[in-house]
Amino acid sequence: MTGTEDLLVRRHDVGAALAPLDPRKREPQTRVAIVACMDARLGVETMFGLRPGDAHVIRNAGGCVTDDTLRSLRLSQLQEGTREIVLVHHEDCTALIDPAEDLLTCMARLGDSAQLPHTEALRGFLYTRRGALREVRRM
Ligand SMILES: [Zn+2]
């Protein structure tokens, strides 16, 4: 069985629990957009207790702020009403040499971006090897 086939079996098992997409609830209830690394060990939804409709979750290798991340955040803010941004990097990341340093670089890039209308509520967190979430602040 391939990984995709395994997922489809799991999907069949939980199928009845899936709710239809409600077009009236497009705006995330927390008004938060989370940018995180795609590492499969990071359970972002579990980490923040997210339910469907709570937040936008944008993931890529490293949780980096790329041009595409900025495009997604701009859409998130302008079309779907998010006002806060949470960045999540993690230790033991294969995409980053120094995740804490890169987190600061990403936060600075977001803060300096002219593309985003809302960067005042921006927070960055480092997920540690021990499973703790440590906030990293800009100086
Ligand atoms: Zn990573």
Side-chain angles (χ1 to χ4, degrees):
M1 180 182 291
T2 67
T4 302
E5 289 167 341
D6 180 40
L7 292 178
L8 291 173
V9 168
R10 294 185 203 189
R11 177 6 201 158
H12 181 268
D13 292 346
V14 299
L18 294 177
L21 296 175
D22 185 343
R24 296 167 299 168
K25 295 183 178 177
R26 186 180 297 271
E27 183 175 294
Q29 300 227 333
T30 63
R31 299 179 66 146
V32 173
I34 300 168
V35 179
C37 182
M38 68 182 189
D39 191 304
R41 299 171 297 173
L42 286 184
V44 175
E45 287 78 7
T46 302
M47 189 183 300
F48 294 109
L50 297 179
R51 295 161 299 177
D54 280 349
H56 283 161
V57 178
I58 301 162
R59 299 185 78 161
N60 62 29
C64 298
V65 177
T66 64
D67 289 345
D68 193 61
T69 307
L70 289 171
R71 181 188 66 82
S72 296
L73 286 170
R74 182 173 172 78
L75 179 70
S76 174
Q77 293 184 349
L78 293 177
Q79 299 294 317
E80 301 188 16
T82 60
R83 294 293 178 266
E84 300 176 39
I85 301 170
V86 170
L87 289 177
V88 181
H89 283 28
H90 66 97
E91 293 179 339
D92 195 33
C93 183
T94 57
L96 303 172
I97 304 286
D98 185 339
E101 185 63 33
D102 191 75
L103 185 55
L104 291 171
T105 301
C106 287
M107 292 172 75
R109 184 166 188 209
L110 285 174
D112 293 342
S113 175
Q115 296 182 50
L116 300 177
H118 306 285
T119 58
E120 58 282 348
L122 165 64
R123 296 174 74 173
F125 297 89
L126 185 68
Y127 190 83
T128 70
R129 286 181 179 86
R130 293 175 167 257
L133 200 58
R134 181 170 60 85
E135 185 160 12
V136 175
R137 296 178 190 276
R138 295 181 282 178
M139 295 295 166

